[in-house]
Amino acid sequence: MVSTGVDGIAEDRGEIVVEGPDPMLGIGEALELVGELIDNERLPLTGNDKTSKHYKRIMECVGSPLDAPSSDLFVKASKNLSNVVECGDVEPLALMKTEFYEESRTPHFQGEVEGKVNVLGTILTFAGYVTWRLGRSSREGFSVVVTPLTPWTMGSGIGDVIVNYKRNKVKLPESAGIPWAFSLWLAVHLPLDSPVMVYHVKEGQRISVSGGYFSDLKRIREGLNKTFTGNWENYLEDVLRYSLSKDSPKEAITFVQKLYETVNGALRKEELAFRGLRDYAGLIARESGEENVVVRAIGRLASLISVE
């Protein structure tokens, strides 16, 4: 999310190094963007954290009331970074302590947070946390984390993805999710060429990772462009939106699965076209309400497959 004033972000012996003509400007704009995106999303603080002197110090440092929404914290921090940098260190709050995550119960886990962390680093951690929580599919806290595997620059594109995701009311099923549908969604909406790992995270008393998979977004986008002709993007978005909802028609899920296989070279385009038209014909018989949209979208996508 950091682009302005930054040439590169890298890891060096356990520390993150941000380089460029004005890194603080870029960090400030990224925090402001987070504040704009999260609406009324709040930090999932424990009772002890809310009353701790460390949290109070963080809020005082940015000039935000203790009962203010997180958006206020990030917006004010973005406009007063020079003061934030001088605030020194605080004890890490519970959401930063990986020893409370489920994976800490595995043998040889080395994730414990030791010592203190600086206030700016704490706020950046908060920003990352509330941003990935925006894709939750339920109040129980099923979330999705997308982690790029190579250095990358996103800019404000992540904002467009989150807003689009929320506006379309996409909900990931809480079983294992639908990896192919979500990978296609990311490839269409995320301006990122890096391969990514996608993790499904369940929040509760402990944070647990219920599944994870690899996705090459650049390869998927190239595969989509080779698969279709004409203006197929809006139709694909309709199908993906329904495929990622809990009440999706099974035909939409099947079509998306076969499309994913096609763009990755595992299925011939001719077979995808046949399956799409067959499912379209089957859906016509019980066409009604909102399903009308996905019915037409499957039919149009199948007709736009570039069969040679």
Side-chain angles (χ1 to χ4, degrees):
M1 298 178 71
V2 180
S3 56
T4 305
V6 175
D7 293 331
I9 302 175
E11 186 269 343
D12 181 24
R13 287 172 290 186
E15 294 190 353
I16 301 298
V17 179
V18 182
E19 297 180 340
D22 196 346
M24 295 304 286
L25 173 64
I27 292 173
E29 290 191 353
L31 287 174
E32 185 174 18
L33 175 61
V34 171
E36 293 172 356
L37 289 173
I38 65 174
D39 299 326
N40 294 318
E41 185 83 4
R42 291 179 177 269
L43 295 172
L45 299 175
T46 65
N48 289 337
D49 282 339
K50 291 178 182 177
T51 58
S52 75
K53 63 180 181 180
H54 303 289
Y55 183 64
K56 182 178 180 181
R57 183 178 174 188
I58 293 169
M59 300 300 278
E60 288 176 346
C61 183
V62 301
S64 183
L66 279 173
D67 58 350
S70 304
S71 55
D72 186 70
L73 166 67
F74 298 123
V75 171
K76 287 185 176 176
S78 72
K79 300 183 183 304
N80 198 18
L81 276 183
S82 58
N83 185 53
V84 173
V85 171
E86 296 174 0
C87 281
D89 298 339
V90 293
E91 293 285 346
L93 303 184
L95 69 85
M96 300 175 64
K97 294 181 177 179
T98 50
E99 60 265 34
F100 292 148
Y101 288 24
E102 184 183 52
E103 270 54 40
S104 65
R105 290 181 283 180
T106 59
H108 313 297
F109 182 78
Q110 300 287 327
E112 222 169 314
V113 178
E114 298 180 2
K116 295 185 176 182
V117 291
N118 64 67
V119 171
L120 177 58
T122 301
I123 292 174
L124 291 174
T125 301
F126 291 168
Y129 191 94
V130 297
T131 301
W132 70 255
R133 291 178 86 237
L134 290 175
R136 289 191 303 176
S137 69
S138 71
R139 292 181 180 178
E140 287 73 29
F142 184 80
S143 306
V144 178
V145 182
V146 179
T147 305
L149 299 178
T150 59
W152 57 290
T153 300
M154 176 74 75
S156 60
I158 184 66
D160 298 332
V161 175
I162 293 173
V163 169
N164 202 343
Y165 198 94
K166 293 175 72 178
R167 184 179 67 240
N168 284 311
K169 299 180 181 179
V170 174
K171 296 181 179 181
L172 284 173
E174 290 198 17
S175 54
I178 303 179
W180 47 86
F182 192 63
S183 291
L184 288 166
W185 175 277
L186 288 175
V188 170
H189 292 90
L190 199 60
L192 180 65
D193 286 340
S194 170
V196 298
M197 285 298 298
V198 180
Y199 298 98
H200 299 156
V201 180
K202 184 76 174 179
E203 294 178 80
Q205 288 187 335
R206 291 184 180 269
I207 296 177
S208 60
V209 179
S210 61
Y213 54 89
F214 172 87
S215 186
D216 189 337
L217 304 185
K218 183 178 181 180
R219 178 177 176 179
I220 293 173
R221 278 197 298 272
E222 291 174 348
L224 287 170
N225 288 325
K226 292 178 181 177
T227 300
F228 296 111
T229 60
N231 299 318
W232 50 269
E233 291 87 351
N234 289 338
Y235 298 114
L236 178 58
E237 174 142 352
D238 287 336
V239 175
L240 292 178
R241 184 169 67 252
Y242 282 94
S243 297
L244 288 166
S245 69
K246 290 185 177 181
D247 302 319
S248 174
K250 64 180 181 180
E251 290 88 351
I253 296 175
T254 301
F255 181 77
V256 168
Q257 179 182 4
K258 297 306 177 184
L259 173 58
Y260 184 80
E261 293 175 7
T262 303
V263 299
N264 283 285
L267 189 72
R268 295 171 63 241
K269 290 188 290 184
E270 290 83 357
E271 184 171 350
L272 176 67
F274 169 75
R275 287 174 176 270
L277 292 171
R278 183 189 65 186
D279 290 344
Y280 170 69
L283 279 166
I284 284 291
R286 54 184 177 86
E287 176 182 343
S288 64
E290 288 191 341
E291 280 191 5
N292 217 350
V293 176
V294 73
V295 169
R296 291 198 305 270
I298 290 177
R300 289 299 295 152
L301 279 176
S303 69
L304 292 172
I305 296 172
S306 57
V307 179
E308 297 176 357

